[in-house]
Amino acid sequence: MEELKFLNPTELLEKIYETLCSEYEDEDHYDKDQDKLDIEVTKKRLTKKLFNEFIVEDEYFLTMDSKTFKDRYHLFEKDFYKLITECSKNKVPYQKFVKIIDDLLACAHYRLNAFEQLNEEIARIKTEREQEEETEETNKEEIVEEEPT
């Protein structure tokens, strides 16, 4: 398996994924409306369970602090669900599935990193401006003190 940068897959993640793929495969064999409804509910629950099983930096999405989740991953939540659904519906091999999820996690990480860089740069610029203003004020005070009365 390729080296993953962000996702820490578990054995349970693999089992849930395989079960979800199986549900998509099995749905073609049922004719009754109730069976189809049951399968839809099962697919939705397994999709949510799979999403909650993602572990990043030793923390499950399920138990992650809501502010942390919102700051880092909320923007990509629909994309995660779409990837889970499309991968499982099309029986994408598990190793490729986790690599695809890892790539989306990388996007979230790099987005967060970009905003951290922006905040650092803004702070640096503000500090420089404040220092320039202090220097200008100090220079003005020195000029005023040097003028003869």
Side-chain angles (χ1 to χ4, degrees), residues 34-96:
Q34 185 58 45
D35 290 337
K36 290 183 180 216
L37 182 62
D38 291 345
I39 287 174
E40 281 304 310
V41 169
T42 301
K43 289 188 310 189
K44 286 180 182 178
R45 287 185 179 164
L46 287 171
T47 300
K48 180 70 172 170
K49 178 75 174 150
L50 197 60
F51 176 78
N52 286 332
E53 189 68 20
F54 293 159
I55 301 173
V56 181
E57 297 174 356
D58 297 327
E59 200 164 357
Y60 287 87
F61 272 15
L62 178 65
T63 58
M64 188 177 287
D65 174 67
S66 61
K67 183 183 179 338
T68 301
F69 180 83
K70 185 177 180 183
D71 290 346
R72 296 180 183 180
Y73 307 109
H74 179 69
L75 182 64
F76 296 93
E77 192 168 358
K78 287 181 182 178
D79 293 332
F80 281 115
Y81 281 113
K82 182 176 182 176
L83 290 176
I84 292 168
T85 300
E86 291 300 314
C87 286
S88 57
K89 182 189 293 186
N90 293 290
K91 280 194 81 83
V92 171
Y94 176 73
Q95 290 78 13
K96 187 63 177 175

Coordinates of all heavy atoms in Angstrom, one line a residue, residues 34-96:
Q34 N -39.6 -2.8 0.1 CA -39.1 -2.8 1.5 C -37.6 -3.2 1.6 O -36.8 -2.5 2.3 CB -39.9 -3.7 2.4 CG -39.5 -3.6 3.9 CD -39.6 -2.2 4.5 OE1 -40.6 -1.5 4.2 NE2 -38.6 -1.7 5.2
D35 N -37.2 -4.2 0.8 CA -35.8 -4.6 0.8 C -35.0 -3.5 0.2 O -33.9 -3.2 0.7 CB -35.7 -5.8 -0.1 CG -36.3 -7.1 0.5 OD1 -36.4 -7.1 1.8 OD2 -36.6 -8.0 -0.2
K36 N -35.4 -2.8 -0.8 CA -34.7 -1.7 -1.4 C -34.5 -0.5 -0.4 O -33.5 0.1 -0.3 CB -35.3 -1.2 -2.7 CG -35.2 -2.2 -3.8 CD -35.8 -1.7 -5.1 CE -35.6 -2.8 -6.2 NZ -35.3 -2.3 -7.5
L37 N -35.6 -0.3 0.3 CA -35.6 0.8 1.3 C -34.6 0.4 2.4 O -33.8 1.3 2.9 CB -37.0 1.0 1.9 CG -37.1 2.1 2.9 CD1 -36.7 3.5 2.4 CD2 -38.5 2.1 3.5
D38 N -34.6 -0.8 2.9 CA -33.7 -1.3 3.9 C -32.2 -1.1 3.4 O -31.4 -0.7 4.2 CB -34.0 -2.8 4.3 CG -35.3 -2.9 5.0 OD1 -35.8 -1.9 5.5 OD2 -35.7 -4.1 5.1
I39 N -32.0 -1.5 2.2 CA -30.6 -1.4 1.6 C -30.2 0.1 1.6 O -29.1 0.4 1.9 CB -30.5 -2.0 0.3 CG1 -30.6 -3.6 0.5 CG2 -29.2 -1.6 -0.5 CD1 -30.6 -4.4 -0.8
E40 N -31.1 1.0 1.2 CA -30.8 2.4 1.2 C -30.4 2.9 2.6 O -29.4 3.7 2.7 CB -31.9 3.2 0.6 CG -32.0 3.2 -0.9 CD -30.7 3.7 -1.6 OE1 -30.2 4.8 -1.3 OE2 -30.3 2.9 -2.5
V41 N -31.2 2.5 3.5 CA -30.9 2.9 4.9 C -29.5 2.4 5.4 O -28.7 3.1 6.0 CB -32.0 2.5 5.9 CG1 -31.6 2.6 7.3 CG2 -33.3 3.2 5.6
T42 N -29.3 1.1 5.0 CA -28.0 0.5 5.4 C -26.9 1.2 4.7 O -25.8 1.5 5.4 CB -28.0 -1.0 5.0 OG1 -29.1 -1.6 5.7 CG2 -26.7 -1.7 5.4
K43 N -27.0 1.5 3.5 CA -25.9 2.2 2.8 C -25.6 3.6 3.4 O -24.5 4.0 3.6 CB -26.3 2.4 1.3 CG -26.2 1.1 0.5 CD -26.4 1.3 -1.0 CE -27.5 2.1 -1.4 NZ -27.8 2.1 -2.8
K44 N -26.7 4.3 3.8 CA -26.5 5.6 4.4 C -25.8 5.5 5.7 O -24.9 6.3 6.1 CB -27.8 6.4 4.6 CG -28.4 6.9 3.2 CD -29.7 7.6 3.4 CE -30.2 8.1 2.1 NZ -31.5 8.7 2.2
R45 N -26.2 4.5 6.5 CA -25.6 4.3 7.8 C -24.1 3.9 7.7 O -23.3 4.4 8.5 CB -26.4 3.3 8.6 CG -27.7 3.8 9.1 CD -28.4 2.9 10.0 NE -29.7 3.5 10.5 CZ -30.6 2.8 11.0 NH1 -30.5 1.5 11.2 NH2 -31.7 3.4 11.4
L46 N -23.9 3.0 6.8 CA -22.5 2.5 6.6 C -21.6 3.7 6.1 O -20.4 3.8 6.5 CB -22.4 1.3 5.6 CG -22.9 0.0 6.2 CD1 -23.0 -1.0 5.1 CD2 -22.0 -0.5 7.3
T47 N -22.2 4.5 5.2 CA -21.4 5.6 4.7 C -21.1 6.6 5.8 O -19.9 7.0 6.0 CB -22.2 6.4 3.6 OG1 -22.5 5.5 2.5 CG2 -21.5 7.6 3.1
K48 N -22.0 6.9 6.7 CA -21.8 7.7 7.9 C -20.8 7.1 8.8 O -19.8 7.7 9.3 CB -23.1 8.0 8.6 CG -23.0 8.9 9.8 CD -22.7 10.3 9.4 CE -22.8 11.2 10.6 NZ -22.2 12.5 10.4
K49 N -20.9 5.8 9.0 CA -20.0 5.0 9.9 C -18.6 5.1 9.3 O -17.6 5.3 10.1 CB -20.5 3.6 10.1 CG -19.6 2.7 10.9 CD -19.8 3.0 12.3 CE -19.0 2.0 13.2 NZ -18.5 2.6 14.4
L50 N -18.5 4.9 8.0 CA -17.1 5.0 7.4 C -16.5 6.3 7.6 O -15.3 6.5 7.9 CB -17.3 4.6 5.9 CG -16.1 4.2 5.1 CD1 -15.5 3.0 5.7 CD2 -16.5 4.0 3.7
F51 N -17.3 7.4 7.3 CA -16.8 8.8 7.5 C -16.3 9.0 8.9 O -15.3 9.6 9.1 CB -18.0 9.7 7.1 CG -17.7 11.2 7.4 CD1 -16.9 11.9 6.5 CD2 -18.1 11.8 8.5 CE1 -16.6 13.2 6.7 CE2 -17.9 13.2 8.7 CZ -17.1 13.9 7.8
N52 N -17.1 8.5 9.9 CA -16.7 8.7 11.3 C -15.5 7.9 11.7 O -14.9 8.2 12.7 CB -17.9 8.4 12.2 CG -19.0 9.4 12.2 OD1 -18.7 10.6 11.9 ND2 -20.2 9.0 12.4
E53 N -15.2 6.9 10.9 CA -14.0 6.0 11.2 C -12.7 6.6 10.7 O -11.7 6.1 11.1 CB -14.3 4.7 10.6 CG -13.3 3.6 11.0 CD -13.4 3.2 12.5 OE1 -14.4 3.4 13.1 OE2 -12.4 2.6 13.0
F54 N -12.8 7.7 10.0 CA -11.5 8.3 9.5 C -10.7 8.9 10.7 O -11.3 9.5 11.6 CB -11.8 9.5 8.6 CG -12.4 9.1 7.2 CD1 -13.1 10.0 6.5 CD2 -12.3 7.8 6.8 CE1 -13.6 9.7 5.3 CE2 -12.8 7.5 5.5 CZ -13.5 8.4 4.8
I55 N -9.5 8.5 10.8 CA -8.6 9.0 11.8 C -7.5 9.8 11.2 O -6.8 9.4 10.3 CB -8.0 7.8 12.6 CG1 -9.0 6.9 13.2 CG2 -7.0 8.3 13.7 CD1 -8.5 5.6 13.8
V56 N -7.3 11.0 11.8 CA -6.3 11.9 11.4 C -5.6 12.4 12.6 O -6.3 12.9 13.6 CB -6.9 13.1 10.6 CG1 -5.8 14.1 10.1 CG2 -7.7 12.6 9.4
E57 N -4.3 12.3 12.7 CA -3.5 12.7 13.8 C -4.1 12.1 15.1 O -4.3 12.7 16.1 CB -3.5 14.3 14.0 CG -2.8 14.9 12.8 CD -2.9 16.4 12.8 OE1 -3.6 17.0 13.7 OE2 -2.3 17.1 12.0
D58 N -4.3 10.8 15.0 CA -4.8 10.0 16.1 C -6.1 10.4 16.7 O -6.5 10.1 17.8 CB -3.7 9.9 17.3 CG -2.4 9.3 16.9 OD1 -2.4 8.4 16.0 OD2 -1.4 9.8 17.4
E59 N -6.9 11.0 15.9 CA -8.2 11.5 16.3 C -9.3 11.1 15.3 O -9.1 11.4 14.1 CB -8.2 13.0 16.5 CG -9.4 13.4 17.4 CD -9.2 14.8 17.9 OE1 -8.1 15.5 17.6 OE2 -10.1 15.3 18.6
Y60 N -10.3 10.4 15.7 CA -11.4 10.0 14.9 C -12.3 11.3 14.5 O -12.4 12.2 15.3 CB -12.4 9.1 15.6 CG -11.8 7.7 15.7 CD1 -11.1 7.3 16.8 CD2 -12.1 6.7 14.8 CE1 -10.6 6.0 17.0 CE2 -11.7 5.4 14.9 CZ -10.9 5.1 16.0 OH -10.4 3.8 16.2
F61 N -12.8 11.3 13.3 CA -13.7 12.4 12.9 C -14.9 12.4 13.9 O -15.4 13.5 14.3 CB -14.3 12.2 11.5 CG -13.5 12.8 10.4 CD1 -12.2 13.2 10.6 CD2 -14.0 12.9 9.2 CE1 -11.4 13.7 9.6 CE2 -13.3 13.5 8.1 CZ -12.0 13.9 8.3
L62 N -15.4 11.2 14.3 CA -16.5 11.1 15.2 C -16.3 11.8 16.6 O -17.2 12.5 17.1 CB -16.8 9.6 15.5 CG -18.0 9.3 16.5 CD1 -19.3 9.8 15.9 CD2 -18.1 7.8 16.8
T63 N -15.1 11.7 17.1 CA -14.8 12.2 18.5 C -14.0 13.5 18.4 O -13.8 14.1 19.5 CB -14.1 11.2 19.3 OG1 -12.8 10.9 18.6 CG2 -14.9 10.0 19.5
M64 N -13.7 14.0 17.2 CA -13.0 15.3 17.1 C -13.8 16.4 17.7 O -15.0 16.5 17.5 CB -12.6 15.5 15.6 CG -11.7 16.6 15.4 SD -11.3 16.7 13.6 CE -10.2 15.3 13.4
D65 N -13.1 17.3 18.3 CA -13.7 18.6 18.8 C -14.5 19.2 17.6 O -13.9 19.4 16.5 CB -12.7 19.5 19.4 CG -13.2 20.8 19.8 OD1 -14.0 20.9 20.7 OD2 -12.8 21.8 19.1
S66 N -15.7 19.7 17.8 CA -16.5 20.2 16.7 C -15.8 21.5 16.1 O -15.9 21.6 14.9 CB -17.9 20.5 17.2 OG -17.9 21.5 18.2
K67 N -15.2 22.3 16.9 CA -14.5 23.5 16.3 C -13.3 23.0 15.5 O -13.1 23.6 14.4 CB -14.0 24.4 17.4 CG -13.4 25.7 16.9 CD -12.8 26.6 17.9 CE -12.2 27.8 17.5 NZ -11.6 27.9 16.1
T68 N -12.6 22.1 15.9 CA -11.5 21.6 15.1 C -11.9 21.0 13.8 O -11.4 21.3 12.8 CB -10.7 20.5 15.9 OG1 -10.2 21.1 17.1 CG2 -9.5 20.0 15.1
F69 N -13.0 20.2 13.9 CA -13.6 19.6 12.7 C -14.0 20.7 11.7 O -13.8 20.6 10.5 CB -14.7 18.6 13.0 CG -15.3 18.0 11.8 CD1 -14.7 16.9 11.2 CD2 -16.4 18.5 11.2 CE1 -15.3 16.3 10.1 CE2 -17.0 18.0 10.0 CZ -16.4 16.9 9.5
K70 N -14.7 21.6 12.3 CA -15.3 22.7 11.4 C -14.1 23.5 10.7 O -14.2 23.8 9.6 CB -16.2 23.7 12.2 CG -16.8 24.7 11.4 CD -17.7 25.6 12.2 CE -18.4 26.6 11.4 NZ -19.2 27.6 12.1
D71 N -13.1 23.8 11.5 CA -12.0 24.6 11.0 C -11.2 23.8 9.9 O -10.8 24.4 8.9 CB -11.0 25.0 12.1 CG -11.5 26.0 13.0 OD1 -12.6 26.6 12.7 OD2 -11.0 26.2 14.1
R72 N -11.1 22.5 10.1 CA -10.2 21.7 9.2 C -11.0 20.9 8.1 O -10.5 20.9 7.0 CB -9.5 20.7 10.0 CG -8.5 21.3 11.0 CD -7.8 20.3 11.8 NE -6.9 20.9 12.7 CZ -6.1 20.3 13.6 NH1 -6.1 19.0 13.6 NH2 -5.4 21.0 14.4
Y73 N -12.1 20.4 8.4 CA -12.7 19.4 7.4 C -14.1 19.7 7.0 O -14.6 19.1 6.0 CB -12.6 18.0 8.0 CG -11.2 17.6 8.5 CD1 -10.9 17.5 9.8 CD2 -10.2 17.4 7.6 CE1 -9.6 17.2 10.3 CE2 -8.9 17.1 8.0 CZ -8.7 17.0 9.3 OH -7.4 16.7 9.7
H74 N -14.8 20.5 7.7 CA -16.2 20.7 7.4 C -16.5 21.2 5.9 O -17.4 20.7 5.2 CB -16.9 21.8 8.3 CG -18.3 22.1 8.0 ND1 -19.3 21.1 8.2 CD2 -18.9 23.2 7.5 CE1 -20.4 21.6 7.8 NE2 -20.2 22.9 7.4
L75 N -15.6 22.0 5.4 CA -15.7 22.5 4.0 C -15.7 21.3 3.0 O -16.3 21.4 2.0 CB -14.6 23.5 3.7 CG -14.5 24.1 2.3 CD1 -15.8 25.0 2.1 CD2 -13.3 24.9 2.2
F76 N -15.0 20.2 3.4 CA -14.9 19.1 2.5 C -15.8 17.9 2.8 O -15.7 16.9 2.2 CB -13.4 18.6 2.6 CG -12.4 19.6 2.1 CD1 -11.8 20.4 3.0 CD2 -12.1 19.7 0.8 CE1 -10.9 21.4 2.6 CE2 -11.1 20.6 0.3 CZ -10.5 21.5 1.2
E77 N -16.7 18.1 3.7 CA -17.6 17.0 4.2 C -18.4 16.4 3.0 O -18.4 15.2 2.9 CB -18.5 17.5 5.3 CG -19.3 16.4 6.0 CD -20.0 16.9 7.2 OE1 -19.9 18.0 7.6 OE2 -20.6 16.0 7.9
K78 N -19.0 17.2 2.2 CA -19.8 16.7 1.0 C -18.8 15.9 0.1 O -19.2 14.9 -0.5 CB -20.4 17.9 0.3 CG -21.6 18.4 1.0 CD -22.3 19.5 0.2 CE -23.4 20.1 0.9 NZ -24.1 21.2 0.2
D79 N -17.6 16.4 -0.1 CA -16.7 15.7 -1.0 C -16.3 14.4 -0.4 O -16.2 13.4 -1.1 CB -15.4 16.6 -1.1 CG -15.7 17.8 -1.9 OD1 -16.6 17.9 -2.7 OD2 -14.9 18.8 -1.7
F80 N -16.1 14.3 0.9 CA -15.8 13.0 1.6 C -17.0 12.0 1.3 O -16.7 10.9 0.9 CB -15.6 13.1 3.1 CG -14.3 13.6 3.4 CD1 -14.1 14.9 4.1 CD2 -13.1 12.9 3.2 CE1 -12.9 15.4 4.4 CE2 -11.9 13.4 3.6 CZ -11.7 14.6 4.2
Y81 N -18.2 12.5 1.5 CA -19.3 11.6 1.3 C -19.5 11.2 -0.2 O -19.8 10.0 -0.5 CB -20.6 12.3 1.8 CG -20.8 12.2 3.3 CD1 -20.8 13.3 4.1 CD2 -21.0 10.9 3.9 CE1 -20.9 13.2 5.4 CE2 -21.1 10.8 5.3 CZ -21.1 12.0 6.0 OH -21.2 11.9 7.4
K82 N -19.2 12.1 -1.1 CA -19.2 11.8 -2.5 C -18.2 10.7 -2.8 O -18.4 9.7 -3.6 CB -19.0 13.0 -3.4 CG -19.1 12.7 -4.8 CD -19.1 14.0 -5.7 CE -19.2 13.6 -7.2 NZ -19.2 14.8 -8.0
L83 N -17.0 10.9 -2.3 CA -15.9 9.9 -2.6 C -16.3 8.5 -2.0 O -16.0 7.5 -2.7 CB -14.6 10.4 -2.0 CG -13.9 11.6 -2.7 CD1 -12.7 12.0 -2.0 CD2 -13.6 11.3 -4.2
I84 N -16.8 8.5 -0.8 CA -17.2 7.3 -0.2 C -18.2 6.6 -1.0 O -18.1 5.4 -1.3 CB -17.7 7.5 1.3 CG1 -16.6 7.9 2.2 CG2 -18.4 6.2 1.8 CD1 -17.1 8.5 3.5
T85 N -19.2 7.3 -1.4 CA -20.3 6.7 -2.2 C -19.8 6.2 -3.6 O -20.1 5.1 -3.9 CB -21.4 7.8 -2.4 OG1 -21.9 8.2 -1.1 CG2 -22.6 7.2 -3.2
E86 N -19.1 7.1 -4.3 CA -18.7 6.7 -5.6 C -17.7 5.5 -5.6 O -17.7 4.6 -6.4 CB -18.1 7.9 -6.4 CG -19.1 8.9 -6.7 CD -20.2 8.4 -7.6 OE1 -19.9 7.7 -8.6 OE2 -21.4 8.7 -7.4
C87 N -16.8 5.6 -4.6 CA -15.8 4.5 -4.5 C -16.5 3.1 -4.2 O -16.2 2.1 -4.8 CB -14.7 4.8 -3.4 SG -13.5 6.0 -4.0
S88 N -17.4 3.2 -3.2 CA -18.0 1.9 -2.8 C -19.0 1.4 -3.9 O -19.1 0.2 -4.2 CB -18.7 2.1 -1.5 OG -19.7 3.1 -1.5
K89 N -19.7 2.3 -4.5 CA -20.7 2.0 -5.6 C -19.9 1.3 -6.8 O -20.4 0.4 -7.4 CB -21.4 3.2 -6.1 CG -22.4 2.9 -7.2 CD -23.0 4.2 -7.8 CE -23.8 5.0 -6.8 NZ -24.4 6.2 -7.5
N90 N -18.7 1.8 -7.0 CA -17.9 1.2 -8.2 C -16.9 0.2 -7.8 O -16.0 -0.1 -8.6 CB -17.3 2.4 -8.9 CG -18.4 3.3 -9.6 OD1 -19.0 2.8 -10.5 ND2 -18.6 4.5 -9.1
K91 N -16.9 -0.2 -6.5 CA -16.0 -1.2 -6.0 C -14.5 -0.8 -6.2 O -13.7 -1.7 -6.7 CB -16.3 -2.6 -6.5 CG -17.5 -3.2 -5.8 CD -17.6 -4.7 -6.1 CE -16.7 -5.6 -5.3 NZ -16.9 -6.0 -4.0
V92 N -14.2 0.4 -6.0 CA -12.8 0.8 -6.0 C -12.0 0.0 -5.0 O -12.5 -0.1 -3.8 CB -12.7 2.3 -5.8 CG1 -11.2 2.8 -5.6 CG2 -13.4 3.1 -6.9
P93 N -10.9 -0.6 -5.3 CA -10.1 -1.4 -4.4 C -9.8 -0.5 -3.1 O -9.6 0.7 -3.2 CB -8.8 -1.7 -5.1 CG -9.2 -1.6 -6.5 CD -10.2 -0.6 -6.6
Y94 N -9.9 -1.2 -2.0 CA -9.7 -0.5 -0.7 C -8.4 0.3 -0.6 O -8.4 1.5 -0.2 CB -9.7 -1.5 0.5 CG -9.4 -0.9 1.8 CD1 -10.4 -0.1 2.4 CD2 -8.2 -1.1 2.4 CE1 -10.1 0.5 3.6 CE2 -7.9 -0.5 3.7 CZ -8.9 0.3 4.3 OH -8.7 0.9 5.5
Q95 N -7.3 -0.2 -1.1 CA -6.0 0.5 -1.1 C -6.1 1.8 -1.8 O -5.6 2.8 -1.4 CB -4.9 -0.4 -1.6 CG -4.5 -1.5 -0.8 CD -5.5 -2.7 -0.9 OE1 -6.3 -2.8 -1.8 NE2 -5.4 -3.6 0.1
K96 N -6.8 1.8 -3.0 CA -7.0 3.0 -3.8 C -7.9 4.0 -3.1 O -7.8 5.2 -3.1 CB -7.5 2.7 -5.2 CG -7.5 3.8 -6.1 CD -6.1 4.4 -6.3 CE -6.2 5.6 -7.3 NZ -4.9 6.2 -7.5

